[in-house]
Amino acid sequence: MVREFKLPDVGEGVAEGEIVRWLVEPGDEVSEDQPVAEVETDKAVVEVPSPVDGSVKELLAEEGEVVPVGDVIITFEVEGEEPAEEEESEPEAGEPTEREGKREPTEIDGKPAVTRADAGEDRRAAGTEDEEAPTGSKRVFAPPNVRRLARELGIDVSSVEGSGPGGRISEGDVRAAAEGDEDEPEVEESEKGPRGLEEGLESAVSRSGEREGTQQSEAADRERTLAAPATRRLAEEQGVDLNAVPTDETRDGEPFVTPEAVREYAEARRAAPTDTAEAATAGAEAETGPREREEREPYRGIRRTIGRQMEHSKYTAPHVTHHDTAQVERLVDARRELKAIAEKRGVRLTYMPFVMKAIVAALKQHPYLNSSLDEESEEVVVKNYYNVGIAVATDAGLMVPVVEDVDEKGLLQLASEVNELAQKARERSISREEMQGGTFTITNFGAIGGEYATPIINHPEVAILGLGELRERPIVEEGESETPKASRGASGETASRVVPAHTLPLSLSIDHRIVDGAVAAEFTNTLVEYLENPNLLLLE
């Protein structure tokens, strides 16, 4: 019996999804709840499970195709039941076709229509239909596009070791096998280590290469590497073998690679290419020819959702941005003292938890910045709980994980939660619930350079704080002058001097419907006081 499976509603409000990758192919045996496809919605990448025990009959959508929720994407032959006999004759007029509720037209604009079945026959007649690779007793996991590539390169797909989850074979595995470098992936550049946005306000510092030799050796010896689907897609786009990317991280005892590590490795290879890399690049340019003057990419998924949210916020709430600067020498000293203690407890302590605690202390004194506007009932909703969102840059765009009840948590707990949520956001494994319920948002553009900006409010919140780069800058410091009193100004003022000091630029955007400019300035003054004197947080 043939069972049709429609694209389910994989999240509240989701109307469509893009088939990122098929995890099965026609003829594969599947069990109930086994993932059969990776689907990208406007929220995240999710795995779609099989609803039955059986075998895959047909894939009805191509990888990269956007499918509305409710459309049939795959059919199964249900185990233990006789498969439905295919009708060779044309159905009678008015009779439904094999797929319930979906009838294929026989004519379009007066011309015979080519149906999916006709196209399949044409492919088989032309010898281009996907072939079942000879596998013997070995189970081969490879999607149709990988099998096609293996045939084009003359590679027996059953002889290729897969680097994906469960031994799944990727295009990179097939290419590596064709080049004869599968067992010894080339690792030429030093591992620089990813610099995450959640590292907060630390200046960009290149990691030393003291572990370079060990990490390169470990990367070369790896036969399997774990990574999120988005990371694998990025590696393919960058032409990077995941097994060659150095990493210190592990998941379930296996090496785990992040998108940042892939980018760093790809950039390092481009910065110092070897003769082999140069030859490969020259060959690629010869094959592809000159680049097009313009390139077009689909505007959909998470990028489109972010764009619509930004547009709605900007055109709903009148934005005003207030700028200030905090001199944070004491904060730098406090973090330096506590960092080593945190590392002993297995927590990487950045400046972000200090900033979050200072923000909450300031919000308690200026509650209207921790509110929202209920436009329907025309009421201002002042919130007595403090859920702080942290903007995180990902491959798909900006995501805002929310740390709940910041006022009830210590620095180490906040640091641990921020690090975990940021990593989940980059891996696209974060849930909708973990990005909802925020009352105030922080965006740290200083992590990639910059001092001031005009951040867009994360509607329906009424304020967002932008953090510039924390670094030493020249400041004017007043002090006693060694110059004789007679040489001082007529007013008797003491002389000043310019000295270096750690400063933190602040950019606070507010919804001017709820928050006045004077209130924004008062809030910022309070925040600066806590940042410049972090010991005051002990009184909160």
Side-chain angles (χ1 to χ4, degrees):
M1 175 181 177
V2 176
R3 286 283 301 274
E4 295 181 339
F5 180 62
K6 301 177 181 179
L7 179 65
D9 184 356
V10 292
E12 182 181 352
V14 173
E16 63 186 16
E18 177 184 348
I19 306 297
V20 176
R21 190 186 304 271
W22 283 110
L23 305 179
V24 295
E25 62 181 71
D28 281 355
E29 297 293 328
V30 296
S31 58
E32 187 174 358
D33 293 330
Q34 174 184 333
V36 296
E38 292 172 356
V39 176
E40 180 177 11
T41 70
D42 58 359
K43 306 299 179 186
V45 172
V46 297
E47 290 185 338
V48 176
S50 168
V52 295
D53 294 326
S55 63
V56 178
K57 185 176 188 297
E58 187 177 9
L59 306 180
L60 302 179
E62 298 290 337
E63 292 183 355
E65 181 178 347
V66 177
V67 181
V69 169
D71 273 19
V72 178
I73 60 173
I74 186 173
T75 58
F76 300 94
E77 292 282 3
V78 178
E79 291 182 341
E81 300 185 32
E82 292 295 327
E85 294 185 1
E86 296 186 5
E87 295 289 338
E88 296 186 1
S89 60
E90 291 293 327
E92 296 293 336
E95 181 181 347
T97 59
E98 181 182 352
R99 300 187 196 108
E100 295 179 10
K102 297 196 64 113
R103 299 172 57 187
E104 297 185 340
T106 57
E107 290 188 358
I108 298 178
D109 295 334
K111 298 179 180 179
V114 178
T115 65
R116 188 184 299 270
D118 296 332
E121 290 296 333
D122 292 342
R123 286 195 300 271
R124 283 188 288 272
T128 58
E129 180 72 11
D130 288 346
E131 299 174 2
E132 188 68 30
T135 62
S137 59
K138 179 182 176 183
R139 188 79 172 98
V140 175
F141 295 93
N145 61 314
V146 173
R147 293 182 182 272
R148 284 195 296 271
L149 177 63
R151 287 198 300 272
E152 293 170 1
L153 298 177
I155 298 297
D156 180 0
V157 72
S158 64
S159 67
V160 179
E161 292 294 331
S163 62
R168 183 163 297 279
I169 300 171
S170 68
E171 292 184 2
D173 297 328
V174 173
R175 291 193 178 96
E179 296 170 1
D181 297 331
E182 181 186 10
D183 294 331
E184 295 182 2
E186 185 177 355
V187 181
E188 300 172 351
E189 306 301 334
S190 63
E191 186 272 330
K192 292 186 182 177
R195 184 177 123 201
L197 191 64
E198 87 284 359
E199 288 184 354
L201 316 169
E202 297 179 76
S203 301
V205 179
S206 299
R207 295 176 67 183
S208 66
E210 58 186 12
R211 300 193 306 266
E212 176 184 346
T214 301
Q215 289 181 330
Q216 288 182 347
S217 175
E218 291 175 352
D221 292 337
R222 289 204 309 261
E223 295 182 353
R224 182 185 180 196
T225 301
L226 300 182
T231 304
R232 295 184 179 278
R233 193 160 62 248
L234 174 64
E236 292 179 3
E237 294 171 355
Q238 297 287 339
V240 170
D241 180 0
L242 280 177
N243 291 331
V245 179
T247 180
D248 291 329
E249 298 190 33
T250 59
R251 294 289 172 87
D252 299 326
E254 298 282 356
F256 182 84
V257 171
T258 64
E260 289 76 12
V262 171
R263 290 195 192 91
E264 293 287 352
Y265 182 71
E267 290 174 2
R269 289 173 63 89
R270 287 193 293 268
T274 61
D275 294 339
T276 302
E278 289 175 351
T281 302
E285 291 178 352
E287 291 178 4
T288 60
R291 294 183 60 184
E292 297 292 335
R293 289 174 59 84
E294 295 182 349
E295 296 181 6
R296 290 177 176 264
E297 297 179 356
Y299 180 59
R300 61 192 182 212
I302 290 180
R303 170 54 59 191
R304 183 177 60 182
T305 300
I306 293 171
R308 289 176 175 175
Q309 172 72 2
M310 294 291 184
E311 179 184 21
H312 177 69
S313 176
K314 190 66 175 179
Y315 288 102
T316 300
H319 283 53
V320 172
T321 304
H322 177 85
H323 301 287
D324 209 333
T325 301
Q327 184 178 330
V328 291
E329 289 292 345
R330 295 179 183 178
L331 175 61
V332 171
D333 292 340
R335 187 253 182 178
R336 183 185 298 117
E337 293 176 7
L338 298 176
K339 183 179 179 181
I341 299 175
E343 289 178 351
K344 291 180 180 179
R345 301 185 184 182
V347 178
R348 182 168 55 86
L349 181 62
T350 67
Y351 290 104
M352 188 61 71
F354 293 92
V355 176
M356 295 169 69
K357 297 295 284 188
I359 286 174
V360 169
L363 288 175
K364 289 183 177 180
Q365 297 184 39
H366 307 280
Y368 275 94
L369 280 90
N370 198 56
S371 66
S372 62
L373 177 62
D374 188 335
E375 298 181 40
E376 186 173 344
S377 63
E378 296 187 340
E379 294 176 328
V380 176
V381 182
V382 180
K383 298 166 183 177
N384 297 319
Y385 54 94
Y386 304 92
N387 299 342
V388 179
I390 310 295
V392 177
T394 73
D395 295 337
L398 203 64
M399 295 188 181
V400 186
V402 175
V403 181
E404 298 182 346
D405 302 319
V406 173
D407 57 321
E408 300 176 5
K409 298 172 180 176
L411 290 176
L412 294 185
Q413 184 176 357
L414 290 177
S416 180
E417 289 191 24
V418 168
N419 295 338
E420 180 182 356
L421 288 171
Q423 185 65 30
K424 292 173 70 175
R426 294 191 187 94
E427 296 172 3
R428 305 288 297 280
S429 61
I430 193 166
S431 66
R432 283 174 53 86
E433 292 73 17
E434 291 173 313
M435 295 191 292
Q436 295 177 331
T439 62
F440 189 96
T441 296
I442 305 172
T443 179
N444 178 25
F445 48 82
I448 54 177
E451 296 189 3
Y452 298 99
T454 55
I456 296 179
I457 298 167
N458 189 16
H459 189 76
E461 299 168 16
V462 300
I464 181 172
L465 180 69
L467 304 174
E469 183 182 6
L470 192 161
R471 64 178 177 86
E472 281 193 326
R473 296 179 176 86
I475 66 166
V476 176
E477 182 182 78
E478 294 184 359
E480 291 295 331
S481 173
E482 298 178 359
T483 307
K485 185 174 182 179
S487 66
R488 299 182 189 177
S491 62
E493 295 179 354
T494 59
S496 301
R497 58 177 182 170
V498 176
V499 297
H502 285 94
T503 60
L504 173 60
L506 305 172
S507 300
L508 177 71
S509 291
I510 57 170
D511 183 342
H512 214 336
R513 297 176 300 175
I514 306 301
V515 182
D516 294 331
V519 175
E522 292 170 357
F523 169 84
T524 307
N525 291 340
T526 303
L527 176 62
V528 168
E529 183 178 7
Y530 281 108
L531 292 174
E532 294 185 343
N533 303 280
N535 287 340
L536 293 176
L537 295 173
L538 299 175
L539 302 177
E540 297 298 322

